[in-house]
Amino acid sequence: MVDTPHSDADQGAESMLMPGLDLPDAASEGYQVLARKYRPSRFEDLIGQEAMVRTLTNAFAAGRIAHAYMLTGVRGVGKTTTARLIARALNYRTQQADAPSMSLSEPGEHCDAISRSAHVDVMEMDAASRTGVNDIREILDGVRYAPVSARYKVYIIDEVHMLSTSAFNALLKTLEEPPAHAKFIFATTEIRKVPVTVLSRCQRFDLKRIDREVLTDHLANICEKEQARVDRDGLGLIARAAEGSVRDALSLLDQAIVQGAESETPVDVRQVRDMLGLADRARVLDLLEKTVRGETADALAELEDLYDAGGDPVVITRDLLDFVHAASRMKAIGPDADIGESRETAERVFTLAQSQTLAQLTRLWKLLLGGLDDVRAAPDALAAAEMTLLRLAAASMLPPPEDAARLLASHPPATASAPGNASAPAGVNDAAPGGSMEAPGKPEAQRFEARPAPQDLPVELDPPGAGIQDGPDSFETFITMLSARRDISLQSDVERYCRPVMFKPGQMTFQPEKNAPMDLAPRIARKLQEWTGAAWVVLADRAAKGGQTWSEKRAADRQARLDRAKQDPAVLEAMRLFPGTELVKVVEGEARAAPGAAAKENDA
């Protein structure tokens, strides 16, 4: 979080004022971890917290200094460090200045002792270990006494949410009307556990997670100061693993630098990935693409390879969640959505997003979210991850929820029975004239009238096929329409990758070939809706058994014509007269070829 290491200057001045409070010099402690060495020593060194610094700077300049501050945020974003900086700013004093100041570029006479938690007028308390009311009373008993040497007595209470209810109650009165010489600074990671009565008496600042790119730049700057070499991509992995926490990132950077201690080459992304136990992000995206395409065998093999390479099933599942979330953002916003990935990865994610509807991506997200809990709790994490992939593959083959609703609307449930009957008994005949129904073999007295309840009425959605104008009624006429519309790209994909299963106005089901584009079904549905003026339900079902693709059918027809021609007496005589002759093409005297085949008849 800093650009300069913490300074230990001017320690002697404070030692003369506070004998007995000296701590060992930092230089005598041996190696300092990066998180301590590069702790911010000025407000300018804080990264990612510009809004808070600007507010405090304006408040100090205007003399509107609050008596209590509440700092909240996730671990490692600088809450305790900021509290100490505020304590230094409140008690800032040099030979040239004697007033609260946010400019700490020149160390004041109290700055070093406060930074080292060694000042008698700045008390730090960890509420996680001192939660009782008696601990708070010790503080409150000393509040009424004036500071020994500083301008203000400052009380810093870390993890304040851990205080007991009675401790909070004891603090309330003093917090509302503290002495003029007392200031309180609280820090917490669980702001919702702090009573609102305490929050209302404090000026609150939310410290944000540090943006991944900002954190990566910061790590690169520290590497330069430490004369350490780590690839930019490796630093990006560290920033991502830290989840916005600067302290976590610096701790991981310490480990990464050690990886290259005995090598002259920079620490590369592979070494960082192995250190973090991460799977290759590109391979995780491969895994997601195979799963969405329904290639379950390849997906399971890819997962096993990632596991054997050291990938944690929990991390792999979280990466899958990240990619589904990124695809959802790109589906909603467009290809310019910022997903924090490289350009190549972003292009692949956008292609994935185009193959799914937003409802389908939401369904995949919910399945992965439940799968993540399963993977964490299961005795065999790999098995749980495999089951999650199988559920994803099955869900990706289902039609979008909105299309499923139309299918249900096109097949309404059986007519409801009369009141008192939960459902019609098995074997009941269709409604007779007049709206009555009768079970076979039952007396006339048991006839009843079918009156559907309002809640049983089907959803009023247009069934598939409603309103179609001049649309195809078979797969052959669909091919003819593609040829007539000159949609070469879609026609090529349909002819090569679609094995027709069912085709009727408004509905189409096909078995996709292994290498079929993931977005083929939605592309067909969009074009048919555009050309016919009605919604179509197009389902790609890998489990179905479809017929020949149109390319296979055309090739088979061509081969059949060649075989028939070879049996023709005239052809046989010609081939006898001209040895070595090969029959390569048959030109029909009349256009008897199947629809759509004429355009490619000369492909032989």
Side-chain angles (χ1 to χ4, degrees):
M1 287 172 53
V2 297
D3 293 327
T4 58
H6 171 65
S7 172
D8 292 318
D10 288 356
Q11 177 181 338
E14 188 62 35
S15 302
M16 293 175 61
L17 289 172
M18 308 295 164
L21 291 179
D22 259 354
L23 294 179
D25 191 290
S28 66
E29 296 179 3
Y31 176 71
Q32 266 192 319
V33 295
L34 297 180
R36 290 186 59 198
K37 184 176 181 181
Y38 290 93
R39 177 172 292 185
S41 60
R42 303 173 305 162
F43 283 101
E44 292 83 356
D45 297 333
L46 289 169
I47 62 172
Q49 313 301 342
E50 291 79 7
M52 179 195 68
V53 173
R54 183 169 57 251
T55 303
L56 285 173
T57 301
N58 294 339
F60 272 62
R64 305 176 69 88
I65 301 174
H67 64 272
Y69 297 95
M70 179 71 68
L71 307 177
T72 178
V74 298
R75 70 193 186 283
V77 292
K79 298 183 297 297
T80 304
T81 297
T82 301
R84 291 175 182 170
L85 288 176
I86 294 175
R88 287 175 55 193
L90 289 169
N91 291 310
Y92 189 68
R93 180 185 297 153
T94 64
Q95 293 181 352
Q96 291 78 26
D98 188 8
S101 173
M102 290 284 289
S103 177
L104 304 176
S105 53
E106 180 185 348
E109 63 181 60
H110 302 290
C111 287
D112 183 66
I114 294 175
S115 298
R116 294 185 293 118
S117 303
H119 200 288
V120 69
D121 289 325
V122 179
M123 279 70 71
E124 293 190 26
M125 169 182 154
D126 183 10
S129 57
R130 302 180 64 186
T131 62
V133 65
N134 290 331
D135 299 313
I136 291 298
R137 282 176 180 157
E138 288 180 15
I139 292 177
L140 300 181
D141 287 344
V143 166
R144 57 179 172 273
Y145 300 110
V148 176
S149 62
R151 183 178 300 108
Y152 294 106
K153 268 193 169 181
V154 182
Y155 295 89
I156 300 174
I157 303 181
D158 203 3
E159 300 299 339
V160 69
H161 67 274
M162 300 290 287
L163 291 178
S164 64
T165 303
S166 55
F168 274 123
N169 291 336
L171 186 62
L172 281 178
K173 186 62 178 176
T174 302
L175 191 59
E176 185 170 14
E177 297 178 357
H181 60 261
K183 303 290 183 184
F184 291 87
I185 307 174
F186 305 118
T188 178
T189 55
E190 299 283 350
I191 191 65
R192 286 175 293 182
K193 294 183 180 180
V194 178
V196 293
T197 49
V198 173
L199 284 176
S200 64
R201 291 166 168 83
C202 301
Q203 194 171 101
R204 172 177 167 176
F205 292 103
D206 293 319
L207 277 69
K208 302 186 300 181
R209 292 179 186 268
I210 310 304
D211 181 77
R212 192 179 301 173
E213 282 300 315
V214 174
L215 189 50
T216 303
D217 291 338
H218 179 60
L219 296 178
N221 186 31
I222 290 179
C223 284
E224 185 179 346
K225 293 179 182 298
E226 291 290 311
Q227 298 183 349
R229 294 185 297 167
V230 182
D231 279 352
R232 175 85 183 185
D233 289 342
L235 296 178
L237 281 181
I238 292 174
R240 176 173 164 270
E243 297 181 337
S245 168
V246 183
R247 184 173 63 235
D248 288 1
L250 292 178
S251 298
L252 292 173
L253 181 61
D254 251 328
Q255 297 180 44
I257 291 174
V258 174
Q259 303 293 318
E262 298 180 357
S263 174
E264 305 227 349
T265 60
V267 179
D268 59 26
V269 67
R270 180 188 56 80
Q271 291 173 286
V272 175
R273 185 180 292 114
D274 291 342
M275 179 193 81
L276 297 174
L278 298 177
D280 188 334
R281 293 274 287 179
R283 294 187 63 185
V284 174
L285 187 51
D286 291 340
L287 175 63
L288 180 59
E289 289 173 343
K290 291 174 181 177
T291 304
V292 170
R293 287 198 297 261
E295 300 170 5
T296 53
D298 293 341
L300 292 177
E302 184 71 35
L303 176 62
E304 188 174 355
D305 288 345
L306 287 171
Y307 182 75
D308 292 341
D312 184 351
V314 174
V315 176
I316 294 172
T317 308
R318 287 189 59 183
D319 285 346
L320 289 171
L321 266 171
D322 287 345
F323 280 127
V324 171
H325 172 250
S328 302
R329 280 180 56 84
M330 298 192 89
K331 187 71 175 181
I333 301 174
D336 296 331
D338 182 13
I339 60 173
E341 302 287 351
S342 66
R343 179 179 300 178
E344 179 184 355
T345 301
E347 290 175 353
R348 293 179 61 189
V349 172
F350 181 67
T351 301
L352 175 66
Q354 292 299 96
S355 70
Q356 304 286 312
T357 67
L358 199 54
Q360 285 175 306
L361 290 170
T362 302
R363 182 166 58 195
L364 296 181
W365 167 267
K366 293 295 290 183
L367 287 172
L368 277 171
L369 206 57
L372 181 60
D373 291 337
D374 293 345
V375 173
R376 284 172 172 162
D380 186 346
L382 179 60
E386 289 179 343
M387 293 305 298
T388 300
L389 286 184
L390 292 176
R391 287 198 296 270
L392 283 184
S396 65
M397 292 297 102
L398 296 175
E402 58 270 22
D403 290 350
R406 292 192 182 96
L407 279 172
L408 289 175
S410 66
H411 300 287
T415 309
S417 62
N421 293 283
S423 61
V428 173
N429 293 332
D430 291 340
S436 64
M437 302 176 67
E438 182 178 1
K442 296 293 180 181
E444 185 72 17
Q446 291 191 345
R447 297 179 65 152
F448 61 91
E449 192 169 346
R451 298 173 183 259
Q455 62 269 24
D456 292 330
L457 293 175
V459 178
E460 292 187 4
L461 292 175
D462 290 337
I468 290 182
Q469 302 170 359
D470 301 326
D473 57 1
S474 66
F475 190 67
E476 289 79 3
T477 53
F478 174 46
I479 295 292
T480 303
M481 174 177 278
L482 284 171
S483 179
R485 297 279 181 169
R486 297 191 175 277
D487 194 326
I488 305 302
S489 175
L490 182 59
Q491 180 181 356
S492 175
D493 287 345
V494 169
E495 291 184 356
R496 286 187 297 167
Y497 300 124
C498 286
R499 296 187 177 277
V501 176
M502 182 272 292
F503 196 104
K504 62 182 181 180
Q507 298 183 46
M508 173 182 172
T509 302
F510 67 91
Q511 177 191 9
E513 281 284 89
K514 181 177 181 180
N515 297 322
M518 292 185 294
D519 62 343
L520 183 53
R523 283 167 58 203
I524 294 173
R526 283 196 298 270
K527 285 297 182 181
L528 284 171
Q529 182 173 3
E530 176 185 333
W531 295 338
T532 65
W536 282 68
V537 176
V538 180
L539 175 62
D541 187 354
R542 292 188 182 274
K545 297 298 181 183
Q548 292 178 313
T549 66
W550 198 254
S551 296
E552 291 173 344
K553 184 177 185 304
R554 191 171 54 245
D557 290 344
R558 190 164 50 239
Q559 186 61 47
R561 289 196 298 275
L562 284 173
D563 293 341
R564 286 196 304 269
K566 287 178 181 179
Q567 303 305 317
D568 187 277
V571 174
L572 291 173
E573 180 63 18
M575 296 181 74
R576 186 185 67 78
L577 293 174
F578 301 97
T581 301
E582 182 179 356
L583 182 62
V584 296
K585 182 172 64 175
V586 177
V587 179
E588 298 283 353
E590 297 179 0
R592 292 181 295 171
K600 298 191 177 181
E601 179 60 37
N602 295 325
D603 291 344

